[in-house]
Amino acid sequence: MSALEYRMNENVEIDSSLQNKNRSARAFRSKKEEKRYWILLITLIVLGIFSSYGLLVYNNPVPIDSPSFIPVVKRRIVAIIAMIIAAICQSLSTVAFQSITSNRIITPSLLGFESLYSTIHTSTIFLFGAGALINFTGIGPFLFQVVIMVLMSLILYGWLLSGKYGNLQLMLLVGIIIGTGLNSVSTFMRRLLAPSEFDILQAKLFGSVNNADPQYFPVVIPMVIIVALLLLAYSKKLNVLSLGKDVSTTFGVKYQSSIIYTLILVAILMSISTALIGPLTFYGFLVATLTYQAAPTYDHRYIFPMALAIGFLIITSAYFFMYHVFHAQGVVSVIIELFGGIIFLIVILRKRAL
């Protein structure tokens, strides 16, 4: 071997050893990124706590030493609990859904949950009158809505993700078609309603924490906690699933059953959020997009906490500013959807693809 060849081989070995030193299977590329992540996460959590505290006590018309102060705060606590539920359901379900579909643009709303919610309420007032919609409250009707949404999802998943129809893109396409069809039916029925009935219905179809009924909490909170813990426990497998079918299969993951399992958990969270609060189409997308910018990692054990912190801060700060600064209580969900829609369009235009 000549001296030139020996030096070339030596340089190759040095380069490969340097590359191996730079490679790492850790969640973050450097200690600096990990430190920045924890600082940002703690900051967002503190800001979310301050926003929720402001919602509880700021601009309270009752003095602190008055006996009526605590009842007013308790009513506001109901709204805070609803915001926490919405943040957990929307953030976890959107991040998990985008991971298993390997697409950071589409959201679980494409599967038609909100369209089905709208159809249930519109058909109730259309067929049975305004009184039936007003009385459509309680644990029974709430669970009925959740079960119907989850069953629709299970039927859709079982059909389109098994056998020759095992195609995730086909499932999304069918979900969009079903959602569009349900929206068309709802629009037709709404046009035939009396103006007074239409006003009552529109109040139900706007997503708002004021729609949340505290009598649902004993059922909703345990369900949300259990499903959220199941998703968090599934974080490592989601890391693999986000790499696609071929890589997941190579690592020994049962891809099809894992996808269906995750979609079932996503369906439960989305159904609970929609039935409790109402449609929030772009809220989950807004939270997920900001999360990917704030948490530069692939590991869902770090992505999920950041998504929860961002989701809770967004919804609490939005309600605080709209309630106490701009005095526009009815447009909070509209503002969230507006910003979410704008960011959605920006991402679409930058990526130039779905």
Side-chain angles (χ1 to χ4, degrees):
M1 181 183 293
S2 64
L4 180 60
E5 290 177 345
Y6 178 78
R7 288 180 181 178
M8 288 178 64
N9 291 334
E10 190 178 39
N11 290 334
V12 169
E13 290 177 359
I14 293 173
D15 290 341
S16 61
S17 63
L18 290 174
Q19 288 176 1
N20 290 332
K21 287 182 180 179
N22 292 329
R23 290 177 182 175
S24 173
R26 298 174 68 252
F28 297 94
R29 289 172 293 184
S30 64
K31 289 286 186 181
K32 185 178 180 181
E33 278 192 355
E34 185 175 1
K35 183 179 179 181
R36 189 186 302 122
Y37 167 87
W38 287 111
I39 293 174
L40 182 58
L41 179 63
I42 293 171
T43 303
L44 291 173
I45 292 173
V46 171
L47 290 175
I49 292 172
F50 272 115
S51 297
S52 58
Y53 178 76
L55 285 171
L56 289 176
V57 300
Y58 182 78
N59 204 20
N60 193 328
V62 182
I64 296 178
D65 56 352
S66 172
S68 302
F69 180 80
I70 298 300
V72 173
V73 171
K74 285 182 178 179
R75 285 197 293 270
R76 295 185 176 187
I77 288 176
V78 172
I80 297 294
I81 294 174
M83 293 177 195
I84 295 173
I85 293 172
I88 293 174
C89 292
Q90 294 283 337
S91 59
L92 293 186
S93 60
T94 304
V95 170
F97 186 77
Q98 291 183 346
S99 296
I100 61 175
T101 56
S102 301
N103 192 311
R104 292 187 173 182
I105 295 178
I106 58 179
T107 65
S109 300
L110 294 176
L111 297 180
F113 294 106
E114 295 164 1
S115 303
L116 184 59
Y117 172 86
S118 174
T119 303
I120 290 173
H121 284 81
T122 305
S123 59
T124 300
I125 196 171
F126 180 78
L127 297 174
F128 305 107
L133 182 63
I134 295 173
N135 295 324
F136 193 67
T137 57
I139 299 296
F142 174 78
L143 291 177
F144 170 76
Q145 295 179 71
V146 173
V147 169
I148 289 295
M149 292 180 192
V150 174
L151 281 178
M152 184 200 75
S153 305
L154 291 177
I155 293 171
L156 187 65
Y157 303 156
W159 171 48
L160 294 176
L161 292 178
S162 61
K164 63 179 180 180
Y165 295 107
N167 190 319
L168 196 61
Q169 284 69 34
L170 180 62
M171 184 199 72
L172 295 173
L173 179 60
V174 172
I176 294 173
I177 294 172
I178 291 175
T180 304
L182 292 175
N183 279 330
S184 300
V185 173
S186 300
T187 302
F188 173 75
M189 289 189 290
R190 284 198 291 269
R191 289 183 179 275
L192 300 179
L193 296 176
S196 58
E197 294 176 333
F198 182 81
D199 290 339
I200 295 172
L201 177 63
Q202 284 298 106
K204 283 279 188 180
L205 297 184
F206 271 108
S208 173
V209 295
N210 295 324
N211 293 335
D213 193 331
Q215 67 174 317
Y216 302 154
F217 291 163
V219 176
V220 169
I221 293 175
M223 291 175 63
V224 171
I225 291 175
I226 291 172
V227 176
L229 289 176
L230 289 174
L231 267 180
L232 290 172
Y234 214 61
S235 295
K236 289 185 178 180
K237 193 158 286 187
L238 282 174
N239 296 340
V240 181
L241 291 174
S242 62
L243 298 175
K245 183 177 181 179
D246 295 335
V247 177
S248 301
T249 306
T250 303
F251 278 101
V253 175
K254 296 181 180 179
Y255 181 78
Q256 193 172 33
S257 59
S258 299
I259 290 290
I260 294 176
Y261 173 75
T262 307
L263 287 173
I264 290 172
L265 298 181
V266 168
I268 295 173
L269 289 179
M270 285 298 297
S271 301
I272 291 173
S273 173
T274 306
L276 182 68
I277 297 169
L280 294 171
T281 307
F282 289 109
Y283 171 58
F285 174 81
L286 176 61
V287 172
T289 303
L290 295 177
T291 300
Y292 300 137
Q293 302 300 317
T297 178
Y298 66 90
D299 197 334
H300 288 75
R301 293 176 298 174
Y302 298 94
I303 294 175
F304 280 147
M306 182 65 75
L308 289 174
I310 291 175
F312 183 65
L313 176 60
I314 287 176
I315 196 167
T316 52
S317 59
Y319 272 91
F320 178 81
F321 281 107
M322 289 299 162
Y323 271 51
H324 302 303
V325 178
F326 300 105
H327 305 289
Q329 299 182 8
V331 298
V332 178
S333 61
V334 177
I335 296 299
I336 292 176
E337 297 296 288
L338 175 63
F339 279 102
I342 291 173
I343 291 181
F344 180 81
L345 291 176
I346 292 173
V347 173
I348 287 287
L349 293 175
R350 287 180 61 184
K351 288 182 174 291
R352 298 183 181 273
L354 286 174

